[in-house]
Amino acid sequence: MNIGIVTTWFERGASYVSKSFRDALILNNENDVFIFVRGGEQYAIGDKNWDYENVFWSKRRNIPSVGMVIDKDDFNNWIKENKIELVIFNEQHWFIPLLWCKELNVKTIAYIDYYTAETIPLFDIYDAVICNTKRHFTAFRNHKEVFYLPWGTQLDVFKPTNSDLVNSEVVTFFHSCGRDKNRKGADLILKVFDRINADFKLIIHTQVEFKEFEHLKLIKSLQEKNKLEIICNTVTAPGLFFLGDIYVYPSRLEGVGLTIAEALASGLGLVTTDMAPMNEFSNEKNSLLVNVLYQYSRADAYYWPMCEIDLDDLQNKLESLCHNKQKVVEMKMQARIYSEQFLDVKKNLTALNDIVGKVQFTVLEEKLKNKILSYEKKGLKKYSRFYLQFYCIYNFLRRIKRKLEK
């Protein structure tokens, strides 16, 4: 079968998901897989890890109110030229390309990531949906064709470099916050570690610099104690997990939490939030779960709530590990054992070929089509109002500036 995957395609978690899907689909030469790279944060043109045969780099389109915009001519020509029969959309927030697929009689599958109470019914336009967490599966349980494929990682890429402590003198804690420090709890980590009265080493890997005054103050305090190292750059897989013993990840919200699986496979024990999906990828032998104090809605109305952890509970759990190196070593060992049992992405995705073979094309009902058009039109109107207000304020400030200059 000729299968297309619509995705971002550079050094990013979502791209590694798409790569894993592609690898599973071509494993036994059963399918030809083509990658359609929609505009995103960046392109990886010329990067040998991402730029190769069957990868199509589409035009960059940008509409601020619309996520994952795709050029229609690029998309339709790509489907026709490659005789694509089925398209898997990875984290697609814009539903219009699904209408194009229906016009071309192309089957579609959604890899579930972002949705709201309003958009869940719109996913009926997909012929099937794939959920990688139990929480996603629960939300989409009423879809006409829903599949649960538990997520994992590449065990041959993410693997331990040692079974003992990285530094025999102290426990080394590691945190990766990528491009989203707030959602992944980097601010909470800085607050709590500054309060810990014990020997430790903390390493934070980020792809964006810390600029907030409060964070810089805490960073300076920890660095003066020689307890903190910050690494700011982009690192390809297997990343920097080998630097730590315990992965600290007090995330406020996750779609999957890819780095949790990567850390466990790399042989790190885990300290994370006691809420799905973070607590779906661990057990009591390799992890400590931090209590949640309260939950609240995110500004964009994402279906699942944000959560705020108990900082005292996080501090107590971290301090307990600082004083119990043997437990840390045991957690590291159990992390890899657990990963080999449950987090092998190659095993977890073996059913993918059966799924794409079962999916049947469904005719689009006019009622659903109208719902999608109405939803997308509303988003554009919202942007138009925002742009008009911004433009008015901008011109008002320019006029004031001219008067002041005179």
Side-chain angles (χ1 to χ4, degrees):
M1 184 187 297
N2 286 357
I3 299 173
I5 300 178
V6 176
T7 181
T8 53
W9 197 251
F10 66 102
E11 198 66 37
R12 190 176 185 271
S15 305
Y16 277 103
V17 171
S18 296
K19 255 192 180 181
S20 296
F21 271 50
R22 183 211 59 174
D23 293 344
L25 290 167
I26 65 174
L27 184 61
N28 298 315
N29 298 316
E30 295 180 41
N31 307 291
D32 287 322
V33 178
F34 303 84
I35 305 297
F36 182 93
V37 185
R38 63 179 174 233
E41 295 95 331
Q42 65 187 70
Y43 289 118
I45 297 173
D47 186 333
K48 65 180 181 180
N49 295 314
W50 299 96
D51 193 359
Y52 42 76
E53 190 180 6
N54 288 355
V55 174
F56 175 77
W57 306 92
S58 69
K59 296 185 187 75
R60 184 184 291 275
R61 297 287 303 277
N62 184 35
I63 303 176
S65 66
V66 178
M68 318 326 191
V69 178
I70 293 171
D71 183 85
K72 184 175 182 179
D73 290 337
D74 273 359
F75 184 70
N76 286 356
N77 290 336
W78 171 73
I79 286 177
K80 292 172 184 176
E81 289 173 8
N82 297 298
K83 298 180 173 60
I84 290 172
E85 305 161 70
L86 181 147
V87 177
I88 299 174
F89 288 87
N90 182 359
E91 301 189 6
Q92 181 65 33
H93 302 175
W94 190 42
F95 288 91
I96 298 301
L98 277 298
L99 299 177
W100 305 338
C101 287
K102 290 298 183 184
E103 292 169 359
L104 296 171
N105 294 317
V106 173
K107 293 178 282 189
T108 57
I109 295 177
Y111 173 81
I112 296 300
D113 170 66
Y114 178 86
Y115 48 95
T116 66
E118 183 180 13
T119 62
I120 284 181
L122 304 185
F123 278 82
D124 285 346
I125 192 172
Y126 286 97
D127 299 305
V129 297
I130 291 176
C131 301
N132 50 24
T133 68
K134 294 175 183 176
R135 187 162 79 158
H136 286 328
F137 186 75
T138 299
F140 283 87
R141 62 190 179 278
N142 294 323
H143 192 278
K144 57 181 175 289
E145 195 72 271
V146 56
F147 299 95
Y148 170 54
L149 283 181
W151 187 242
T153 194
Q154 297 170 290
L155 298 188
D156 55 340
V157 175
F158 296 92
K159 53 189 176 182
T161 56
N162 65 77
S163 57
D164 211 332
L165 296 180
V166 173
N167 180 342
S168 60
E169 296 182 2
V170 294
V171 175
T172 303
F173 298 91
F174 181 75
H175 172 72
S176 178
C177 58
R179 298 172 181 272
D180 198 341
K181 303 187 296 293
N182 183 66
R183 181 173 60 80
K184 298 181 181 182
D187 58 323
L188 306 177
I189 286 173
L190 290 172
K191 287 179 183 178
V192 169
F193 273 100
D194 192 51
R195 290 164 26 178
I196 291 177
N197 185 25
D199 290 331
F200 65 85
K201 178 67 180 289
L202 171 63
I203 299 174
I204 296 178
H205 173 223
T206 176
Q207 289 177 275
V208 291
E209 293 185 3
F210 286 87
K211 296 181 179 179
E212 298 81 357
F213 176 75
E214 181 185 5
H215 299 166
L216 293 175
K217 188 177 178 181
L218 292 168
I219 287 170
K220 183 179 179 181
S221 172
L222 286 165
Q223 287 178 334
E224 286 176 347
K225 301 172 188 174
N226 199 30
K227 291 185 174 183
L228 171 65
E229 178 183 356
I230 294 181
I231 301 171
C232 184
N233 58 17
T234 298
V235 182
T236 59
L240 300 175
F241 296 105
F242 67 92
L243 296 174
D245 301 311
I246 297 291
Y247 189 52
V248 188
Y249 201 68
S251 180
R252 293 178 166 95
L253 177 68
E254 291 293 328
V256 183
L258 299 176
T259 58
I260 292 176
E262 294 167 356
L264 290 169
S266 300
L268 278 71
L270 175 67
V271 177
T272 192
T273 310
D274 191 10
M275 177 167 282
M278 290 79 80
N279 58 12
E280 291 186 30
F281 296 93
S282 61
N283 63 20
E284 68 281 357
K285 294 181 180 179
N286 59 44
S287 304
L288 296 179
L289 299 176
V290 182
N291 297 333
V292 173
L293 280 181
Y294 60 90
Q295 303 175 39
Y296 57 98
S297 298
R298 198 163 76 169
D300 64 352
Y302 181 61
Y303 188 81
W304 298 103
M306 302 276 282
C307 64
E308 211 65 36
I309 62 163
D310 182 339
L311 294 184
D312 291 336
D313 188 46
L314 175 59
Q315 181 179 346
N316 291 337
K317 286 181 166 63
L318 294 175
E319 286 181 340
S320 71
L321 294 176
C322 291
H323 297 299
N324 194 342
K325 296 176 184 176
Q326 185 56 42
K327 178 175 177 61
V328 172
V329 172
E330 291 172 0
M331 288 173 68
K332 294 181 67 172
M333 179 184 66
Q334 290 296 329
R336 182 62 187 189
I337 291 172
Y338 176 85
S339 300
E340 291 175 353
Q341 289 178 323
F342 301 107
L343 299 181
D344 186 344
V345 72
K346 293 179 181 177
K347 290 180 182 178
N348 292 358
L349 293 184
T350 51
L352 185 58
N353 277 293
D354 290 336
I355 289 172
V356 298
K358 289 177 182 176
V359 173
Q360 298 295 315
F361 181 84
T362 54
V363 176
L364 176 62
E365 296 180 0
E366 195 68 20
K367 184 178 179 181
L368 177 56
K369 178 181 177 180
N370 291 335
K371 281 185 179 179
I372 288 173
L373 291 173
S374 175
Y375 171 77
E376 297 296 357
K377 185 177 180 180
K378 183 171 63 175
L380 288 173
K381 282 184 177 179
K382 183 179 179 181
Y383 166 66
S384 298
R385 289 196 300 272
F386 167 79
Y387 181 80
L388 181 61
Q389 291 169 351
F390 172 81
Y391 186 73
C392 291
I393 294 171
Y394 174 73
N395 279 329
F396 174 70
L397 293 175
R398 285 184 65 187
R399 288 196 299 272
I400 292 177
K401 182 181 178 183
R402 287 196 205 101
K403 288 181 180 180
L404 291 173
E405 288 173 347
K406 289 179 181 178

